Amino acid sequence: MNIPGPSGSSAMFCLGTVVNVYKLWLCVRLEGLDNSHEKWIFCDDDSIQPIGDSAEDHMKLNPPIGFIHHHGTFPKFLEQHLRPDDETGESMLCPAEWFHPISESLRPARNFFKVGQKVEAIDQRSFNGKTCPATIVDTTKSQIQIHFDGWNNGYDIKEPYTTRYVMPVGWSQRNGVEISPPKSGGKSVFTNRKQIRTFVPGP
């Protein structure tokens, strides 16, 4: 599949390979770099795109910044990674019909989040298949700052308010995903669900 390079720019797509699947998420490796360039994303993330079958489509792919091989070998590198499976002869390209990104019309028109609201969030730096209880601690016109309950502020993350890594309270239970309890001196503080204010973005 096509995936943005390390810079995150959607203008430069590189070759990505699905190396793991867990429930709603894919772990995608950016080919041509070491294994530290793997990330977990939702299966319908709009940052990934199918790769066409033609040689012209393949020529649109770029070596990622930090490509560990000589750039002159990139065409051969692509040929090796895009060829059909040696045993079955089946194409290794993800079918185009698997890609159904969320419509822009469904995205909130503005940032409705408020400081103090409780959410469930994913820590992309140490994803373990679980979500975490979290709190919105700051907002701007375009971003939110998320604090993982029970952890120090050094673990806070900033995301666009349209991020897919923040969900309303109860999302994990409805989707069969385990949630990690927050920590406070080694003990869970996630004991009274009545204290949690569920947040659902407004229209």
Side-chain angles (χ1 to χ4, degrees):
M1 63 176 65
N2 284 327
I3 186 170
S7 66
S9 172
S10 59
M12 187 183 83
F13 275 92
C14 305
L15 176 64
T17 299
V18 177
V19 296
N20 204 348
V21 177
Y22 179 77
K23 294 185 182 292
L24 306 172
W25 294 282
L26 309 174
C27 183
V28 181
R29 175 189 299 150
L30 195 59
E31 294 293 358
L33 300 176
D34 58 41
N35 292 350
S36 65
H37 291 83
E38 295 178 356
K39 67 176 183 178
W40 287 91
I41 57 177
F42 275 94
C43 60
D44 60 353
D45 194 294
D46 58 7
S47 70
I48 56 175
Q49 298 179 8
I51 298 173
D53 294 321
S54 70
E56 182 179 356
D57 291 322
H58 299 172
M59 289 176 62
K60 296 176 183 177
L61 293 168
N62 297 278
I65 297 174
F67 186 56
I68 59 177
H69 306 289
H70 190 281
H71 278 232
T73 66
F74 186 65
K76 187 68 175 179
F77 176 85
L78 278 182
E79 180 183 341
Q80 292 175 342
H81 281 76
L82 296 177
R83 68 187 181 191
D85 183 85
D86 291 335
E87 295 184 2
T88 65
E90 294 182 356
S91 172
M92 300 302 292
L93 303 181
C94 296
E97 58 267 25
W98 290 2
F99 295 79
H100 294 285
I102 293 177
S103 170
E104 287 289 336
S105 64
L106 299 177
R107 298 181 185 274
R110 63 178 179 84
N111 190 351
F112 290 95
F113 287 99
K114 296 179 181 179
V115 172
Q117 288 177 321
K118 296 293 184 178
V119 295
E120 294 174 6
I122 293 173
D123 182 2
Q124 300 175 61
R125 295 167 296 186
S126 57
F127 180 69
N128 61 357
K130 302 177 182 180
T131 56
C132 304
T135 304
I136 304 299
V137 293
D138 192 23
T139 66
T140 66
K141 185 177 181 180
S142 60
Q143 285 191 321
I144 55 176
Q145 182 171 335
I146 304 143
H147 174 74
F148 293 99
D149 294 349
W151 298 93
N152 66 52
N153 296 344
Y155 290 92
D156 288 6
I157 58 174
K158 292 184 178 181
E159 291 281 340
Y161 72 85
T162 56
T163 179
R164 300 292 307 284
Y165 298 103
V166 173
M167 289 75 70
V169 172
W171 180 91
S172 299
Q173 184 177 16
R174 291 194 300 272
N175 289 278
V177 175
E178 188 175 353
I179 186 167
S180 298
K183 295 181 179 180
S184 178
K187 297 180 179 180
S188 172
V189 297
F190 197 52
T191 57
N192 187 354
R193 294 188 63 87
K194 292 182 180 179
Q195 296 176 351
I196 298 176
R197 292 173 289 166
T198 303
F199 172 66
V200 179

